Amino acid sequence: MKRSIVCLLLALCLCLGLAACGSQPSQDETNNDPAVSDNTEPQLSGKVTVYMPSPAGLADKLAKAFTAKTGVEVEQFQGTTGEILARLEAEQANPVADVVILASWSDGLSMKADGQLESYTPANADKVNEGWIDEDNMLFGSSASAVGVIYNTTVVPELNADWSELADAQYKDMIAIPDPEKSGACKDFLAGLVTGTADGEAIMQSWADNGLTVPGANKAALEAVTTGEKGILIAGVDYNAYSSMAKGEPLNIYYPASGTVVNPRPAMILKTAPNMDNAKAFVDFLFSDEAQKLVADAYLLPGRSDVQCENRTNLSDIPQITTDWDKMMEVASDTAAKLNSLCK
């Protein structure tokens, strides 16, 4: 009898053990069940294709840091705003780019108006400078430049003339400007000048009458002043000046008292992005502490209000023209073309 009872008890224990084992998920099942998985973030892989403007050193550092953080390879095309837009147009039938960064907010707004952009809310959006993300979350100002007056101190030892005063006879044939049809920053400045001031058109004409020349895009225009071929660069991109000054070039920069245009450089996700998850992750990264420090180190204005520069004038210290980007977008291209026609 005792032996029968023992056997029954052993059999009961075996059944209970098998039932318990059957109720536990396997390791594979645990890993495949999102309800019990600890890893809720998407696993990124592959590549992301980003079109970026200068400075090239910053673009390379951002790409390298993003790959180190995510494992996603970054394929780049670097060029001026005009070159990037031309490439996008050529690739319309077979989209390649995932993320596009331009040096012109108005050109970004044009891309939005054409229905090319994806809406997204990036990480740290609450820390971004006011107005540097558009109301539809399609343009993300992760950095910015401003234009100022850059002058060669061996030609003009001191200068603080306002925009209109650069037409004075003492500066005859000394002034140059970047080609606004190649430089997005210069184009937006001119659009801001003619829409945000009462005499912007007249000022442009007065520069032309005073011998204004257009040596080329930003780099070529700055080179003309660095070498002393010209003494003064009107609407020169500030980060180029700060970088050159740090290398010992005989340059200085100031922002005229009547104000200038601070131009957020829009990062945008294309609706046609072949690698959408990677594109969103790249835009998130642009607002990270690491990326914003790289921006500041490259003499650009950071997109986040809590990040300050130590090597250049900060946003709060730059006098600004009141900007209406919708109005500026309407006239930007025509104004750029007009300036070039005046200088021929």
Side-chain angles (χ1 to χ4, degrees), residues 163 187-201 203-204 258-261 320-329 331 335:
W163 299 116
K187 177 173 72 173
D188 284 351
F189 164 72
L190 293 176
L193 184 70
V194 301
T195 60
T197 67
D199 53 355
E201 297 268 1
I203 289 174
M204 285 172 47
S258 61
T260 187
V261 172
Q320 295 186 51
I321 295 171
T322 300
T323 51
D324 183 327
W325 285 100
D326 289 330
K327 288 183 179 179
M328 290 165 60
M329 181 179 66
V331 304
T335 303

Side-chain angles (χ1 to χ4, degrees), residues 14 16 68 71 112 121 162 220 267 301:
L14 181 60
L16 291 172
K112 173 184 172 180
T121 301
D162 212 335
L301 293 166

Side-chain angles (χ1 to χ4, degrees), residues 153-197:
T153 55
T154 64
V155 179
V156 185
E158 292 186 14
L159 187 65
N160 63 358
D162 212 335
W163 299 116
S164 61
E165 295 169 342
L166 291 168
D168 191 273
Q170 64 180 309
Y171 307 124
K172 178 72 174 176
D173 297 328
M174 294 175 60
I175 54 178
I177 194 169
D179 185 341
E181 292 184 289
K182 296 179 180 177
S183 166
C186 183
K187 177 173 72 173
D188 284 351
F189 164 72
L190 293 176
L193 184 70
V194 301
T195 60
T197 67

Side-chain angles (χ1 to χ4, degrees), residues 219-243:
K219 184 177 179 180
L222 181 62
E223 183 69 14
V225 174
T226 303
T227 61
E229 176 186 345
K230 295 291 179 179
I232 302 168
L233 183 60
I234 295 172
V237 180
D238 59 1
Y239 69 83
N240 285 334
Y242 290 116
S243 177

